[in-house]
Coordinates of all heavy atoms in Angstrom, one line a residue:
A484 N 39.7 28.3 28.3 CA 40.0 27.1 27.6 C 38.8 26.1 27.7 O 38.5 25.5 26.8 CB 41.3 26.5 28.1
A485 N 38.2 26.0 29.0 CA 37.1 25.1 29.1 C 35.9 25.5 28.3 O 35.1 24.7 27.8 CB 36.8 25.0 30.6
T486 N 35.7 26.9 28.3 CA 34.5 27.4 27.4 C 34.7 27.0 26.0 O 33.8 26.6 25.3 CB 34.4 28.9 27.6 OG1 34.4 29.2 29.0 CG2 33.3 29.4 26.9
K487 N 36.0 27.1 25.5 CA 36.3 26.8 24.1 C 36.0 25.3 23.8 O 35.4 25.0 22.8 CB 37.7 27.1 23.8 CG 38.1 27.0 22.4 CD 37.5 28.2 21.6 CE 38.3 28.3 20.2 NZ 37.6 29.2 19.3
V488 N 36.3 24.5 24.7 CA 36.1 23.0 24.6 C 34.6 22.7 24.6 O 34.1 22.0 23.8 CB 36.8 22.2 25.7 CG1 36.3 20.8 25.7 CG2 38.3 22.3 25.6
R489 N 33.8 23.4 25.5 CA 32.4 23.2 25.6 C 31.7 23.7 24.2 O 30.8 23.0 23.7 CB 31.8 23.9 26.8 CG 32.1 23.1 28.0 CD 31.2 23.7 29.2 NE 31.6 25.0 29.5 CZ 32.4 25.3 30.5 NH1 33.0 24.4 31.2 NH2 32.7 26.6 30.8
E490 N 32.2 24.7 23.7 CA 31.6 25.2 22.4 C 31.9 24.3 21.3 O 31.0 24.0 20.4 CB 32.3 26.6 22.1 CG 31.8 27.7 23.0 CD 32.5 29.0 22.7 OE1 33.5 29.1 21.9 OE2 32.1 30.1 23.3
I491 N 33.1 23.7 21.2 CA 33.4 22.7 20.3 C 32.5 21.5 20.4 O 32.0 20.9 19.4 CB 34.9 22.3 20.2 CG1 35.7 23.5 19.8 CG2 35.2 21.1 19.4 CD1 37.2 23.3 20.0
E492 N 32.4 21.0 21.7 CA 31.6 19.8 21.9 C 30.1 20.1 21.6 O 29.4 19.2 21.1 CB 31.7 19.4 23.4 CG 33.1 18.8 23.7 CD 33.3 18.4 25.2 OE1 32.5 19.0 26.0 OE2 34.2 17.7 25.5
K493 N 29.6 21.3 21.9 CA 28.2 21.6 21.6 C 28.0 21.6 20.0 O 27.0 21.1 19.6 CB 27.8 23.0 22.2 CG 26.3 23.3 21.9 CD 25.8 24.5 22.5 CE 24.4 24.8 22.2 NZ 23.7 24.2 21.3
A494 N 29.0 22.2 19.3 CA 28.8 22.2 17.8 C 28.8 20.7 17.3 O 28.0 20.5 16.4 CB 30.0 23.0 17.2
D495 N 29.7 19.9 17.9 CA 29.8 18.5 17.4 C 28.4 17.8 17.8 O 27.8 17.0 17.0 CB 30.8 17.7 18.1 CG 32.2 18.1 17.6 OD1 32.3 18.7 16.5 OD2 33.3 17.8 18.3
Y496 N 27.9 18.1 19.0 CA 26.6 17.5 19.4 C 25.5 17.9 18.5 O 24.7 17.2 18.0 CB 26.3 17.8 20.8 CG 24.9 17.5 21.3 CD1 24.5 16.2 21.6 CD2 23.9 18.5 21.2 CE1 23.2 15.9 21.9 CE2 22.6 18.2 21.5 CZ 22.2 16.8 21.9 OH 21.0 16.5 22.1
D497 N 25.4 19.2 18.2 CA 24.4 19.7 17.3 C 24.4 19.1 16.0 O 23.4 18.8 15.4 CB 24.5 21.3 17.3 CG 24.1 22.0 18.5 OD1 23.4 21.4 19.4 OD2 24.4 23.2 18.7
A498 N 25.6 19.0 15.4 CA 25.7 18.3 14.1 C 25.2 16.9 14.1 O 24.5 16.4 13.2 CB 27.2 18.4 13.6
L499 N 25.7 16.1 15.2 CA 25.3 14.8 15.3 C 23.9 14.6 15.6 O 23.1 13.8 15.0 CB 26.1 14.1 16.4 CG 26.0 12.7 16.6 CD1 26.4 11.9 15.4 CD2 26.7 12.1 17.8
H500 N 23.3 15.5 16.4 CA 21.8 15.5 16.6 C 21.0 15.7 15.4 O 20.0 15.1 15.1 CB 21.5 16.5 17.7 CG 20.0 16.5 18.1 ND1 19.1 17.3 17.5 CD2 19.3 15.8 19.0 CE1 17.9 17.1 18.0 NE2 18.0 16.2 18.9
Q501 N 21.4 16.7 14.6 CA 20.7 17.0 13.3 C 20.8 15.7 12.4 O 19.8 15.4 11.7 CB 21.3 18.2 12.6 CG 20.6 18.5 11.3 CD 21.1 19.8 10.6 OE1 21.9 20.5 11.2 NE2 20.5 20.1 9.5
D502 N 22.0 15.2 12.3 CA 22.1 13.9 11.4 C 21.2 12.8 11.9 O 20.5 12.2 11.1 CB 23.6 13.5 11.5 CG 23.9 12.3 10.5 OD1 23.4 12.4 9.3 OD2 24.5 11.3 11.0
Y503 N 21.2 12.5 13.2 CA 20.3 11.5 13.7 C 18.8 11.8 13.5 O 18.1 11.0 13.2 CB 20.6 11.3 15.2 CG 21.8 10.5 15.6 CD1 22.3 10.5 16.9 CD2 22.5 9.8 14.6 CE1 23.4 9.9 17.2 CE2 23.7 9.2 15.0 CZ 24.1 9.1 16.3 OH 25.2 8.5 16.6
S504 N 18.5 13.1 13.7 CA 17.1 13.5 13.5 C 16.6 13.3 12.0 O 15.6 12.8 11.7 CB 16.9 15.0 13.9 OG 17.2 15.1 15.2
E505 N 17.6 13.6 11.1 CA 17.3 13.5 9.7 C 17.2 12.0 9.4 O 16.3 11.6 8.6 CB 18.3 14.1 8.8 CG 18.3 15.6 8.9 CD 19.5 16.2 8.1 OE1 20.4 15.5 7.7 OE2 19.5 17.5 8.1
S506 N 18.0 11.2 10.0 CA 17.9 9.7 9.7 C 16.6 9.1 10.2 O 16.0 8.3 9.6 CB 19.1 9.0 10.4 OG 20.3 9.4 9.8
V507 N 16.2 9.5 11.5 CA 15.0 9.0 12.0 C 13.8 9.5 11.2 O 12.9 8.6 10.9 CB 14.8 9.5 13.5 CG1 13.4 9.3 14.0 CG2 15.8 8.9 14.4
D508 N 13.8 10.7 10.7 CA 12.7 11.2 9.8 C 12.7 10.4 8.5 O 11.6 10.0 8.0 CB 12.9 12.6 9.5 CG 11.8 13.2 8.7 OD1 10.7 13.1 9.0 OD2 12.1 13.8 7.6
A509 N 13.8 10.0 7.9 CA 13.8 9.3 6.7 C 13.4 7.8 7.0 O 12.6 7.4 6.1 CB 15.3 9.2 6.2
L510 N 13.7 7.2 8.1 CA 13.2 6.0 8.4 C 11.7 6.0 8.6 O 11.0 5.1 8.2 CB 13.8 5.4 9.7 CG 15.3 5.0 9.5 CD1 16.0 4.7 10.8 CD2 15.4 3.7 8.6
Q511 N 11.1 7.0 9.2 CA 9.7 7.1 9.5 C 9.0 7.2 8.2 O 7.9 6.6 7.9 CB 9.3 8.3 10.4 CG 9.7 8.0 11.8 CD 9.6 9.2 12.7 OE1 9.6 10.4 12.2 NE2 9.4 9.1 14.0
R512 N 9.5 8.0 7.3 CA 8.9 8.1 5.9 C 8.9 6.8 5.1 O 8.0 6.4 4.5 CB 9.5 9.2 5.1 CG 9.1 10.6 5.6 CD 9.7 11.8 4.8 NE 11.2 11.8 5.2 CZ 12.2 12.1 4.4 NH1 11.9 12.4 3.2 NH2 13.4 12.1 4.8
A513 N 10.1 6.0 5.2 CA 10.3 4.7 4.6 C 9.2 3.7 5.2 O 8.6 3.0 4.4 CB 11.6 4.3 4.7
I514 N 9.0 3.8 6.4 CA 8.1 2.8 7.1 C 6.7 3.1 6.6 O 5.9 2.2 6.3 CB 8.1 2.9 8.6 CG1 9.4 2.3 9.1 CG2 7.0 2.2 9.3 CD1 9.8 2.5 10.6
A515 N 6.4 4.4 6.5 CA 5.1 4.8 6.0 C 4.8 4.3 4.5 O 3.7 3.8 4.2 CB 4.9 6.4 6.1
V516 N 5.8 4.4 3.7 CA 5.7 3.9 2.4 C 5.5 2.4 2.3 O 4.7 1.9 1.6 CB 7.0 4.4 1.5 CG1 7.0 3.6 0.2 CG2 7.0 5.8 1.3
L517 N 6.3 1.7 3.1 CA 6.1 0.3 3.1 C 4.8 -0.2 3.7 O 4.2 -1.1 3.2 CB 7.2 -0.4 4.1 CG 8.6 -0.3 3.5 CD1 9.6 -0.9 4.5 CD2 8.6 -1.3 2.2
Q518 N 4.2 0.6 4.7 CA 2.9 0.2 5.2 C 1.8 0.5 4.1 O 0.8 -0.3 4.1 CB 2.6 1.0 6.5 CG 3.4 0.5 7.7 CD 3.3 1.4 8.9 OE1 2.9 2.5 8.8 NE2 3.6 0.8 10.1
K519 N 2.0 1.4 3.3 CA 1.0 1.7 2.3 C 1.0 0.6 1.2 O 0.0 0.3 0.6 CB 1.3 3.0 1.5 CG 0.9 4.2 2.3 CD 1.3 5.5 1.5 CE 1.1 6.7 2.4 NZ 1.5 8.0 1.7
Q520 N 2.2 -0.1 1.1 CA 2.3 -1.2 0.1 C 2.3 -2.5 0.7 O 2.6 -3.5 0.1 CB 3.7 -1.0 -0.6 CG 3.8 0.3 -1.4 CD 5.2 0.4 -2.0 OE1 6.1 -0.4 -1.8 NE2 5.5 1.5 -2.7
A521 N 1.7 -2.6 1.9 CA 1.7 -3.8 2.7 C 0.5 -4.8 2.2 O -0.5 -4.9 2.8 CB 1.5 -3.6 4.2
H522 N 0.8 -5.3 1.0 CA -0.2 -6.3 0.5 C 0.6 -7.2 -0.5 O 1.6 -6.9 -1.1 CB -1.3 -5.6 -0.2 CG -0.9 -4.8 -1.5 ND1 -0.5 -3.5 -1.3 CD2 -0.9 -5.0 -2.7 CE1 -0.1 -3.0 -2.5 NE2 -0.4 -3.8 -3.4
D523 N 0.0 -8.4 -0.7 CA 0.7 -9.4 -1.6 C 0.2 -9.0 -3.0 O -0.8 -8.5 -3.3 CB 0.2 -10.8 -1.3 CG 0.6 -11.2 0.1 OD1 1.6 -10.6 0.7 OD2 0.0 -12.1 0.7
R524 N 1.1 -9.4 -3.9 CA 0.8 -9.1 -5.4 C 0.3 -10.4 -6.0 O 0.8 -11.5 -5.7 CB 2.1 -8.7 -6.1 CG 2.5 -7.2 -6.1 CD 2.5 -6.7 -4.7 NE 3.1 -5.3 -4.7 CZ 3.5 -4.9 -3.6 NH1 3.4 -5.5 -2.4 NH2 4.0 -3.6 -3.5
K525 N -0.8 -10.3 -6.7 CA -1.4 -11.5 -7.3 C -0.4 -12.0 -8.4 O 0.3 -11.3 -9.0 CB -2.8 -11.1 -7.9 CG -3.7 -10.8 -6.9 CD -4.1 -11.9 -6.1 CE -5.2 -11.6 -5.0 NZ -5.4 -12.7 -4.1
Q526 N -0.6 -13.3 -8.7 CA 0.2 -13.9 -9.6 C 0.0 -13.4 -11.1 O 0.9 -13.3 -11.9 CB -0.1 -15.4 -9.7 CG 0.8 -16.3 -10.6 CD 2.2 -16.4 -10.0 OE1 2.4 -16.3 -8.8 NE2 3.1 -16.6 -10.9
L527 N -1.2 -13.0 -11.4 CA -1.5 -12.5 -12.7 C -0.7 -11.2 -13.0 O -0.2 -11.1 -14.2 CB -3.0 -12.1 -12.8 CG -3.5 -11.5 -14.1 CD1 -3.2 -12.5 -15.2 CD2 -4.9 -11.1 -14.0
A528 N -0.5 -10.4 -12.0 CA 0.4 -9.2 -12.3 C 1.8 -9.6 -12.7 O 2.4 -9.1 -13.6 CB 0.4 -8.3 -11.1
S529 N 2.2 -10.7 -12.1 CA 3.6 -11.2 -12.4 C 3.7 -11.8 -13.8 O 4.6 -11.5 -14.6 CB 4.0 -12.3 -11.5 OG 4.2 -11.8 -10.1
L530 N 2.6 -12.4 -14.2 CA 2.6 -13.0 -15.6 C 2.4 -11.8 -16.6 O 3.0 -12.0 -17.7 CB 1.4 -13.9 -15.7 CG 1.4 -15.2 -15.0 CD1 0.2 -16.1 -15.2 CD2 2.7 -16.1 -15.4
V531 N 1.8 -10.7 -16.3 CA 1.8 -9.6 -17.2 C 3.2 -9.0 -17.4 O 3.6 -8.6 -18.5 CB 0.8 -8.6 -16.7 CG1 0.9 -7.2 -17.4 CG2 -0.6 -9.1 -16.7
Q532 N 3.9 -8.9 -16.3 CA 5.3 -8.5 -16.4 C 6.1 -9.4 -17.3 O 7.0 -9.0 -18.1 CB 6.0 -8.4 -15.0 CG 5.4 -7.3 -14.2 CD 5.9 -7.3 -12.8 OE1 6.6 -8.2 -12.3 NE2 5.7 -6.2 -12.1
V533 N 6.0 -10.7 -17.1 CA 6.7 -11.7 -18.0 C 6.3 -11.5 -19.5 O 7.2 -11.5 -20.3 CB 6.3 -13.2 -17.5 CG1 6.9 -14.2 -18.5 CG2 7.0 -13.4 -16.1
S534 N 5.0 -11.3 -19.7 CA 4.6 -11.2 -21.1 C 5.2 -9.9 -21.7 O 5.4 -9.8 -22.9 CB 3.1 -11.2 -21.2 OG 2.5 -10.1 -20.6
A535 N 5.4 -8.8 -20.8 CA 6.0 -7.6 -21.4 C 7.5 -7.8 -21.8 O 8.0 -7.0 -22.6 CB 6.0 -6.5 -20.3
L536 N 8.1 -8.9 -21.4 CA 9.5 -9.2 -21.8 C 9.5 -9.5 -23.3 O 10.6 -9.2 -23.9 CB 10.0 -10.4 -21.0 CG 10.3 -10.2 -19.5 CD1 10.7 -11.5 -18.9 CD2 11.4 -9.1 -19.3
K537 N 8.5 -9.9 -23.9 CA 8.4 -10.2 -25.3 C 8.7 -9.0 -26.2 O 9.1 -9.2 -27.3 CB 7.1 -10.9 -25.7 CG 6.9 -12.2 -25.0 CD 5.6 -12.8 -25.6 CE 4.4 -11.9 -25.5 NZ 3.2 -12.5 -26.0
D538 N 8.4 -7.9 -25.6 CA 8.5 -6.6 -26.4 C 9.9 -6.0 -26.4 O 10.2 -5.1 -27.1 CB 7.5 -5.6 -25.9 CG 6.0 -6.1 -26.0 OD1 5.8 -6.9 -27.0 OD2 5.2 -5.7 -25.2
L539 N 10.8 -6.5 -25.5 CA 12.1 -5.9 -25.4 C 13.0 -6.4 -26.5 O 13.0 -7.6 -26.8 CB 12.7 -6.4 -24.0 CG 12.0 -5.8 -22.8 CD1 12.7 -6.3 -21.5 CD2 12.0 -4.2 -22.8
S540 N 13.7 -5.5 -27.1 CA 14.6 -5.9 -28.2 C 15.8 -6.7 -27.6 O 16.5 -7.3 -28.4 CB 15.0 -4.7 -29.0 OG 15.7 -3.8 -28.1
L541 N 16.1 -6.5 -26.4 CA 17.3 -7.2 -25.7 C 17.1 -8.7 -25.6 O 18.1 -9.4 -25.5 CB 17.7 -6.5 -24.5 CG 18.0 -5.0 -24.5 CD1 18.2 -4.5 -23.1 CD2 19.3 -4.9 -25.3
I542 N 15.9 -9.1 -25.6 CA 15.6 -10.5 -25.4 C 15.8 -11.3 -26.7 O 15.2 -10.9 -27.7 CB 14.1 -10.7 -24.9 CG1 13.9 -9.9 -23.6 CG2 13.8 -12.1 -24.6 CD1 14.6 -10.3 -22.4
P543 N 16.5 -12.4 -26.7 CA 16.7 -13.2 -27.9 C 15.4 -13.8 -28.4 O 14.5 -14.1 -27.5 CB 17.7 -14.3 -27.5 CG 18.3 -13.8 -26.2 CD 17.3 -12.9 -25.6
E544 N 15.2 -14.1 -29.7 CA 14.0 -14.6 -30.2 C 13.7 -15.9 -29.6 O 12.5 -16.3 -29.4 CB 14.1 -14.8 -31.8 CG 14.0 -13.5 -32.5 CD 12.6 -12.8 -32.2 OE1 11.6 -13.6 -32.2 OE2 12.6 -11.6 -32.0
S545 N 14.8 -16.8 -29.3 CA 14.4 -18.1 -28.7 C 13.8 -18.0 -27.3 O 12.9 -18.7 -27.0 CB 15.7 -18.9 -28.7 OG 16.7 -18.3 -27.8
A546 N 14.3 -17.0 -26.6 CA 13.7 -16.8 -25.3 C 12.2 -16.2 -25.4 O 11.4 -16.6 -24.6 CB 14.5 -15.7 -24.5
K547 N 12.0 -15.4 -26.4 CA 10.6 -14.9 -26.6 C 9.7 -16.0 -27.0 O 8.6 -16.1 -26.5 CB 10.7 -13.9 -27.8 CG 11.3 -12.6 -27.4 CD 11.3 -11.6 -28.5 CE 12.0 -10.3 -28.2 NZ 11.9 -9.3 -29.2
R548 N 10.1 -17.0 -27.8 CA 9.3 -18.2 -28.1 C 9.0 -19.0 -26.9 O 8.0 -19.5 -26.7 CB 10.0 -19.0 -29.2 CG 10.0 -18.4 -30.5 CD 10.3 -19.3 -31.7 NE 11.8 -19.8 -31.6 CZ 12.8 -19.2 -32.0 NH1 12.6 -18.0 -32.7 NH2 14.0 -19.7 -31.8
T549 N 10.0 -19.1 -26.0 CA 9.9 -19.9 -24.8 C 8.9 -19.2 -23.9 O 8.0 -19.8 -23.3 CB 11.2 -20.0 -24.0 OG1 12.1 -20.7 -24.9 CG2 11.1 -20.9 -22.8
I550 N 8.9 -17.9 -23.8 CA 7.9 -17.1 -23.0 C 6.5 -17.3 -23.6 O 5.6 -17.5 -22.8 CB 8.4 -15.6 -23.0 CG1 9.6 -15.5 -22.1 CG2 7.2 -14.8 -22.4 CD1 10.2 -14.0 -22.2
D551 N 6.4 -17.2 -24.9 CA 5.1 -17.4 -25.6 C 4.6 -18.8 -25.2 O 3.4 -18.9 -24.9 CB 5.2 -17.3 -27.1 CG 5.2 -15.9 -27.5 OD1 4.6 -15.0 -26.8 OD2 5.6 -15.6 -28.6
A552 N 5.4 -19.8 -25.3 CA 4.9 -21.2 -25.0 C 4.5 -21.3 -23.5 O 3.4 -21.9 -23.3 CB 6.0 -22.1 -25.3
F553 N 5.2 -20.7 -22.7 CA 4.8 -20.7 -21.2 C 3.5 -20.0 -21.0 O 2.6 -20.5 -20.3 CB 5.9 -20.1 -20.4 CG 5.5 -20.0 -18.9 CD1 5.5 -21.0 -18.1 CD2 5.1 -18.7 -18.4 CE1 5.2 -20.9 -16.8 CE2 4.8 -18.6 -17.1 CZ 4.8 -19.7 -16.2
L554 N 3.3 -18.9 -21.6 CA 2.1 -18.1 -21.4 C 0.9 -18.7 -22.1 O -0.2 -18.5 -21.7 CB 2.3 -16.6 -21.9 CG 3.3 -15.8 -21.1 CD1 3.5 -14.4 -21.8 CD2 2.8 -15.6 -19.7
Q555 N 1.1 -19.5 -23.1 CA 0.0 -20.1 -23.8 C -0.4 -21.4 -23.2 O -1.5 -22.0 -23.5 CB 0.3 -20.4 -25.3 CG 0.4 -19.1 -26.0 CD 0.9 -19.3 -27.4 OE1 1.0 -20.4 -27.9 NE2 1.1 -18.2 -28.1
Q556 N 0.2 -21.9 -22.0 CA -0.2 -23.0 -21.3 C -1.6 -22.8 -20.7 O -1.9 -21.6 -20.4 CB 0.8 -23.4 -20.2 CG 2.1 -23.9 -20.7 CD 3.0 -24.2 -19.6 OE1 2.8 -24.0 -18.4 NE2 4.2 -24.8 -19.9
D557 N -2.3 -23.8 -20.4 CA -3.6 -23.7 -19.8 C -3.5 -23.3 -18.4 O -2.9 -24.1 -17.6 CB -4.4 -25.0 -19.9 CG -5.7 -25.0 -19.3 OD1 -6.3 -23.9 -19.2 OD2 -6.3 -26.1 -19.0
P558 N -3.9 -22.2 -17.9 CA -3.7 -21.7 -16.5 C -4.4 -22.6 -15.6 O -4.0 -22.8 -14.4 CB -4.2 -20.3 -16.4 CG -5.0 -20.1 -17.7 CD -4.6 -21.1 -18.7
E559 N -5.5 -23.2 -16.0 CA -6.2 -24.2 -15.1 C -5.5 -25.4 -14.8 O -5.5 -25.9 -13.6 CB -7.6 -24.6 -15.8 CG -8.5 -23.5 -16.1 CD -9.0 -22.8 -14.8 OE1 -9.2 -23.5 -13.8 OE2 -9.2 -21.6 -14.8
G560 N -4.7 -25.9 -15.7 CA -3.8 -27.0 -15.4 C -2.7 -26.7 -14.4 O -2.4 -27.6 -13.6
L561 N -2.3 -25.5 -14.4 CA -1.3 -25.1 -13.4 C -1.9 -25.0 -12.0 O -1.2 -25.3 -11.0 CB -0.6 -23.7 -13.8 CG 0.2 -23.7 -15.1 CD1 0.6 -22.3 -15.4 CD2 1.4 -24.6 -15.0
E562 N -3.1 -24.6 -11.9 CA -3.8 -24.4 -10.6 C -4.1 -25.7 -10.0 O -4.1 -25.7 -8.7 CB -5.0 -23.6 -10.8 CG -4.8 -22.1 -11.1 CD -6.1 -21.4 -11.3 OE1 -7.1 -21.9 -11.1 OE2 -6.0 -20.2 -11.8
V563 N -4.2 -26.8 -10.7 CA -4.6 -28.1 -10.2 C -3.5 -28.6 -9.4 O -3.6 -29.2 -8.3 CB -5.0 -29.0 -11.3 CG1 -5.2 -30.5 -10.7 CG2 -6.3 -28.6 -12.0
S564 N -2.3 -28.4 -9.8 CA -1.1 -29.0 -9.2 C -0.6 -28.2 -7.9 O 0.1 -28.7 -7.1 CB 0.0 -29.3 -10.1 OG 0.4 -28.0 -10.7
A565 N -1.0 -26.9 -7.9 CA -0.5 -26.1 -6.8 C -1.6 -25.1 -6.4 O -2.4 -24.7 -7.2 CB 0.8 -25.3 -7.3
P566 N -1.5 -24.8 -5.1 CA -2.5 -23.7 -4.6 C -2.1 -22.3 -5.2 O -1.1 -22.1 -5.7 CB -2.4 -23.8 -3.1 CG -1.0 -24.3 -2.9 CD -0.7 -25.2 -4.1
E567 N -3.1 -21.5 -5.1 CA -2.9 -20.0 -5.5 C -1.8 -19.5 -4.8 O -1.6 -19.6 -3.6 CB -4.2 -19.2 -5.2 CG -4.1 -17.8 -5.6 CD -4.1 -17.5 -7.1 OE1 -4.7 -18.3 -7.8 OE2 -3.6 -16.5 -7.5
A568 N -0.8 -18.9 -5.5 CA 0.3 -18.2 -4.9 C 0.4 -16.8 -5.3 O 0.0 -16.5 -6.4 CB 1.6 -19.0 -5.4
A569 N 0.9 -16.0 -4.4 CA 1.1 -14.6 -4.8 C 2.4 -14.5 -5.6 O 3.3 -15.2 -5.4 CB 1.2 -13.8 -3.4
G570 N 2.3 -13.4 -6.5 CA 3.5 -13.2 -7.3 C 4.6 -12.6 -6.4 O 5.8 -12.8 -6.6
Y571 N 4.2 -11.9 -5.4 CA 5.1 -11.3 -4.4 C 4.4 -11.3 -3.1 O 3.3 -10.8 -3.0 CB 5.6 -9.9 -4.8 CG 6.4 -9.3 -3.7 CD1 7.7 -9.6 -3.5 CD2 5.8 -8.3 -2.8 CE1 8.4 -9.0 -2.5 CE2 6.5 -7.8 -1.8 CZ 7.8 -8.1 -1.6 OH 8.5 -7.5 -0.6
E572 N 5.0 -11.8 -2.0 CA 4.4 -11.8 -0.7 C 5.2 -10.8 0.1 O 6.3 -10.8 0.3 CB 4.6 -13.2 -0.1 CG 3.3 -13.9 0.2 CD 3.5 -15.2 0.8 OE1 3.7 -15.3 2.1 OE2 3.5 -16.3 0.1
F573 N 4.4 -9.8 0.6 CA 4.9 -8.7 1.5 C 5.5 -9.4 2.7 O 4.9 -10.1 3.4 CB 3.8 -7.8 1.8 CG 4.3 -6.4 2.4 CD1 5.0 -5.5 1.7 CD2 4.1 -6.3 3.8 CE1 5.5 -4.4 2.2 CE2 4.6 -5.1 4.4 CZ 5.3 -4.2 3.6
Q574 N 6.8 -9.0 3.1 CA 7.4 -9.6 4.2 C 7.5 -8.8 5.5 O 7.7 -9.4 6.5 CB 8.9 -9.9 3.8 CG 9.0 -10.8 2.5 CD 8.5 -12.2 2.9 OE1 8.8 -12.8 3.9 NE2 7.7 -12.8 1.9
S575 N 7.2 -7.5 5.3 CA 7.4 -6.6 6.5 C 6.1 -6.4 7.2 O 5.3 -5.6 6.9 CB 8.0 -5.3 6.1 OG 8.2 -4.5 7.2
H576 N 5.8 -7.3 8.1 CA 4.5 -7.3 8.9 C 4.7 -6.7 10.3 O 4.0 -7.0 11.2 CB 3.8 -8.6 9.0 CG 3.4 -9.1 7.6 ND1 2.4 -8.5 6.9 CD2 3.9 -10.0 6.8 CE1 2.3 -9.1 5.6 NE2 3.2 -10.0 5.6
G577 N 5.8 -6.0 10.6 CA 6.1 -5.5 11.9 C 5.7 -4.1 12.1 O 5.5 -3.4 12.9

C-alpha cells in the first residue's frame, strides 16, 4: 500500500515539476524578448501611427479632419513648450 502511495505521489510530483519547468522556460523566453525591446520609442513613430488612422474606413470623417489638423501643426511650436518626449518609455529596467 505504501509503494502505491509513493508511486502516485511521484507521478504527481513529476507532472508538477514539468509544469513548473515549462513555466520557468516561458518566463525566461519572455524576459529575453523584453530585453531585446528595451528601448524608448521616439515620438515621431507615434505620430506616424496616428497618421495611419486616416486610412481606416472605421474612422469618421470628422475625426480624420481633426487628425489632419493636428498633424499639420508646426512641430517646432510644440517642442518649444515641452521637452522631447518618447512616444513610449520602456518600463522594465530590472
Side-chain angles (χ1 to χ4, degrees):
T486 306
K487 187 77 164 169
V488 170
R489 283 193 294 268
E490 288 174 357
I491 292 171
E492 288 176 344
K493 181 173 180 351
D495 289 344
Y496 168 80
D497 288 342
L499 188 61
H500 183 268
Q501 180 176 356
D502 184 46
Y503 284 167
S504 296
E505 290 171 356
S506 296
V507 168
D508 182 54
L510 286 170
Q511 288 172 337
R512 286 181 286 144
I514 289 169
V516 168
L517 287 174
Q518 287 174 340
K519 286 180 187 175
Q520 299 176 357
H522 62 279
D523 296 340
R524 276 51 170 196
K525 294 291 182 187
Q526 186 70 27
L527 180 61
S529 296
L530 291 177
V531 169
Q532 290 176 346
V533 170
S534 67
L536 292 175
K537 297 185 310 179
D538 299 331
L539 296 176
S540 61
L541 299 173
I542 305 292
E544 283 301 318
S545 61
K547 289 180 182 181
R548 287 192 298 273
T549 303
I550 292 170
D551 275 338
F553 174 76
L554 292 174
Q555 291 177 7
Q556 290 179 356
D557 182 21
E559 296 298 322
L561 295 175
E562 289 177 10
V563 172
S564 62
E567 177 75 23
Y571 171 77
E572 249 181 76
F573 189 75
Q574 300 294 315
S575 181
H576 295 289

